[in-house]
């Protein structure tokens, strides 16, 4: 497991007179080289600047890989408790594995915010203060409807993290979305080891398209997989015939959208997820502040050729 202490001066500053306490906020997130999670981490770090000014800290905990995601994430949650967390932020990726660990957080009287995955349903079930993140199912619906409305009516969702609740929601939503506009969808599940593997995903997409020549739409669950899908489509000789829409994006994906090799990306504003979740807990621990709106949605939004230029500046700044 990877534990990175963000430079926020834990224990190095005296509290301002009248402040109840400093907040040591622990954040469970993705692996260190995951480009989406680096943006979430940036948001948590920026919110941590305020925590530092009040004598607090933010600690980021992430797995080295996603091979045993639920069990590993549950262990990180327990590490946060053991290390004296005043508050915990975490995604509810695999509820059956992670719920007992989150329940231990609540049972210990530690304030909890669920973010990124699980939705308000997970926050309600676990007794968390808020949910901060996108609606994963609606993100998939948006992609399916977008591709279907563009005339691409036979779609497949490439699932490189089968079993993760948010990823299953993406794919199920995609199938509903493309069905809503008269198309049909399916899921191609791949081993979790293929997530982020350009070669594995490109080869799988190529093979699937050659075996299913009527497919004309591909939905991916992350920006790395989107680039790989574009490559696999090219390898199958179907550039221009099969359109891609995927969750999240980076500068290369935005350039793909500009040049037409990718149709759209679904934005869940990961920076907001990290920033808002940490800010909510820091304010609660220090001042008893709460946000009455328990479901704080950061997406989904659709980025396509009409909005891509306005998004590039945020990507260059590391916040989109």
């Amino acid at each position: 497991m990877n534990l990175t202490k963000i430079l926020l001066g834990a224990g190095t500053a005296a509290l301002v007179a009248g402040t109840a306490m400093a907040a040591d906020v622990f954040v469970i997130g993705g692996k260190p080289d995951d480009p989406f999670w680096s943006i979430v981490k940036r948001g948590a770090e920026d919110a941590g600047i305020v925590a530092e000014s009040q004598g607090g800290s933010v600690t980021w905990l992430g797995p080295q890989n996603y091979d045993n995601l639920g069990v590993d994430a549950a262990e990180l949650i327990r590490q946060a408790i053991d290390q004296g967390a005043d508050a915990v932020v975490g995604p509810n990726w695999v509820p059956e594995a992670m719920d007992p660990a989150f329940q231990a957080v609540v049972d210990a009287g530690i304030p909890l915010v669920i973010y990124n995955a699980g939705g308000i349903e997970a926050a309600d079930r676990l007794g968390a203060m808020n949910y901060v993140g996108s609606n994963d199912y609606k993100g998939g619906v948006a992609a399916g409807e977008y591709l279907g409305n563009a005339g691409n009516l036979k779609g497949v969702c490439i699932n490189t993290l089968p079993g993760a609740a948010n990823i299953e929601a993406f794919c199920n939503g995609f199938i509903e979305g493309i069905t809503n506009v008269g198309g049909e969808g399916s899921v191609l599940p791949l081993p979790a080891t293929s997530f982020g593997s350009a070669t594995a995903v490109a080869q799988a997409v190529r093979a699937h398209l050659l075996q299913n020549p009527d497919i004309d739409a591909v939905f991916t669950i992350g920006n790395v997989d989107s680039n790989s899908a574009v490559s696999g489509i090219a390898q199958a000789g179907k550039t221009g015939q099969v359109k891609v829409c995927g969750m999240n994006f980076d500068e290369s994906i935005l350039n793909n959208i500009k040049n037409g090799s990718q149709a759209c990306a679904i934005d869940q504003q990961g920076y907001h997820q990290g920033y808002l979740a940490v800010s909510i807990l820091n304010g609660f621990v220090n001042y008893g502040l709460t946000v009455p709106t328990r479901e704080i949605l950061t997406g989904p939004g659709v980025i396509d050729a009409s909005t891509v230029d306005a998004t590039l500046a945020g990507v260059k700044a590391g916040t989109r």
Side-chain angles (χ1 to χ4, degrees), residues 173-262:
F174 171 74
I175 292 172
E176 178 180 314
I178 201 167
T179 302
N180 287 345
V181 294
E184 60 180 295
S186 60
V187 179
L188 175 63
L190 300 178
T193 52
S194 65
F195 179 85
S197 171
T199 300
V201 174
Q203 289 179 348
V205 169
R206 174 186 178 276
H208 194 69
L209 293 179
L210 292 175
Q211 293 166 6
N212 300 272
D214 53 344
I215 288 177
D216 59 6
V218 171
F219 177 57
T220 61
I221 56 88
N223 48 325
V224 177
D225 289 349
S226 294
N227 282 320
S228 303
V230 169
S231 176
I233 290 167
Q235 292 174 30
K238 292 183 173 284
T239 298
Q241 302 171 45
V242 179
K243 297 297 185 182
V244 176
C245 189
M247 292 301 306
N248 309 324
F249 54 85
D250 53 25
E251 189 169 1
S252 66
I253 285 174
L254 294 180
N255 286 326
N256 287 343
I257 293 172
K258 282 175 70 72
N259 67 33
S261 58
Q262 181 165 332

Side-chain angles (χ1 to χ4, degrees), residues 104-174:
V105 172
V106 175
D107 290 348
I110 300 170
L112 171 67
V113 166
I114 299 296
Y115 80 149
N116 178 258
I120 191 63
E121 298 82 7
D124 288 343
R125 185 177 68 250
L126 296 164
M129 291 176 55
N130 299 85
Y131 170 71
V132 179
S134 185
N135 184 305
D136 300 325
Y137 191 83
K138 290 181 179 178
V141 171
E145 290 182 346
Y146 186 96
L147 291 169
N149 282 327
N152 301 91
L153 294 169
K154 185 67 179 292
V156 60
C157 176
I158 311 301
N159 186 345
T160 51
L161 286 174
N166 58 323
I167 306 305
E168 301 290 343
F170 290 151
C171 287
N172 291 336
F174 171 74

